[in-house]
Amino acid sequence: MTDLFDLTGRTALVTGSSRGIGLTLARGLATAGARVVLHGRDQATLDAAREDVLASSDVEVFTATFDVTDRDAVDSGVTRIESEFGDIDILVNNAGIQRRAPFTEFAVDDWNDLIATNLSSAFFVGQRVARGMVRRGSGKIVNIGSVQSQLGRPGIAAYAATKGGIAMLTKGMCADLGPSGVQVNALAPGYFATELTKALVDDAVFSEWVRTRTPAGRWGDTQDLVGTLVFLSSRASDFVNGQIVYVDGGMTAVV
């Protein structure tokens, strides 16, 4: 059975993987045997992330810096990866940002940044990488959604819209790419303790809300996402397509 989850010989690109959830996901894929391409905006941070992944695995690790919101930059960046590192078998669309403000006061620039980074990037990178997958007749794409793909909260209407868009983009990609042997699914985290959510974790009232709202009774740890990602990236999920898998401690299952 373990062979079903073995990623040895496969190459994975994880966008936004120089730190946080993305780095944990990349490390998990490497541990399962995949050669990993780390992606980010700052080369120094990427170099440190590369050393982190190499310390926990013996696979090849490559780094790439390109703007996922710029279609031409995506094309050039993926072309470089393919020429220098090989075909991409697994794509994890993880790049994302957050902006918070009341709906009536939400800045247009922040809306545009969220759409570009959280949604358009998954379209641009997914489209470019999928072309090679379709030619080869196989591939795995995992889009990173959120509990906000299904649930709303005050102050994050725009963010929720982008993650709702990720859910439907995933289904649409499945419909188009499934006949060519490509599986496209979304991994949707709940509330996870990371450096980007530290202010929320440190907020005693909000943290108590998370714990009581979540049947598991705690914040998620980024390592909680790895098993599901490996499953969605492996042969074990060959007949799983177009699904949004919530890894949220049960939050979306209860009222």
Side-chain angles (χ1 to χ4, degrees):
M1 286 293 293
T2 56
D3 289 345
L4 285 174
F5 301 90
D6 185 8
L7 302 180
T8 301
R10 302 191 186 187
T11 298
L13 165 62
V14 184
T15 66
S17 52
S18 63
R19 60 180 181 172
I21 286 177
L23 178 56
T24 299
L25 297 179
R27 191 189 304 120
L29 293 174
T31 301
R35 305 161 72 234
V36 173
V37 182
L38 299 172
H39 165 269
R41 293 177 293 183
D42 179 72
Q43 188 62 53
T45 306
L46 276 175
D47 290 341
R50 181 175 183 272
E51 293 304 314
D52 179 289
V53 175
L54 288 172
S56 59
S57 64
D58 57 0
V59 301
E60 293 179 272
V61 182
F62 190 72
T63 63
T65 57
F66 58 87
D67 184 353
V68 292
T69 71
D70 181 326
R71 192 170 187 169
D72 291 337
V74 167
D75 183 56
S76 297
V78 173
T79 297
R80 174 175 170 257
I81 292 168
E82 291 172 337
S83 64
E84 297 183 14
F85 201 59
D87 293 330
I88 298 168
D89 306 295
I90 300 162
L91 168 63
V92 182
N93 278 314
N94 172 72
I97 59 173
Q98 173 65 290
R99 299 283 188 272
R100 295 182 177 88
F103 179 72
T104 54
E105 300 169 21
F106 207 89
V108 171
D109 286 347
D110 286 339
W111 166 266
N112 290 337
D113 286 346
L114 281 166
I115 293 294
T117 307
N118 295 2
L119 187 55
S120 294
S121 70
F123 176 83
F124 294 152
V125 182
Q127 184 183 63
R128 176 60 181 80
V129 171
R131 289 173 181 148
M133 293 178 172
V134 167
R135 285 195 300 270
R136 296 188 299 275
S138 66
K140 303 281 187 176
I141 298 177
V142 182
N143 298 322
I144 302 303
S146 167
V147 288
Q148 267 73 55
S149 296
Q150 180 175 326
L151 304 175
R153 273 187 59 79
I156 58 168
Y159 178 82
T162 65
K163 292 305 183 178
I166 284 290
M168 290 311 301
L169 178 63
T170 298
K171 292 178 183 292
M173 291 170 71
C174 162
D176 279 340
L177 303 176
S180 298
V182 179
Q183 289 82 53
V184 186
N185 294 287
L187 190 165
Y191 282 88
F192 277 72
T194 70
E195 59 187 272
L196 295 180
T197 59
K198 186 177 185 304
L200 297 177
V201 175
D202 292 344
D203 183 326
V205 173
F206 190 84
S207 271
E208 181 61 19
W209 176 84
V210 169
R211 286 190 290 269
T212 56
R213 179 67 176 79
T214 307
R218 64 175 176 87
W219 286 77
D221 182 279
T222 54
Q223 193 63 32
D224 292 325
L225 299 168
V226 171
T228 302
L229 177 65
V230 170
F231 165 67
L232 293 176
S233 302
S234 70
R235 291 189 299 112
S237 63
D238 279 355
F239 203 57
V240 179
N241 213 346
Q243 303 305 304
I244 293 82
V245 183
Y246 290 93
V247 182
D248 62 0
M251 177 175 279
T252 54
V254 299
V255 295

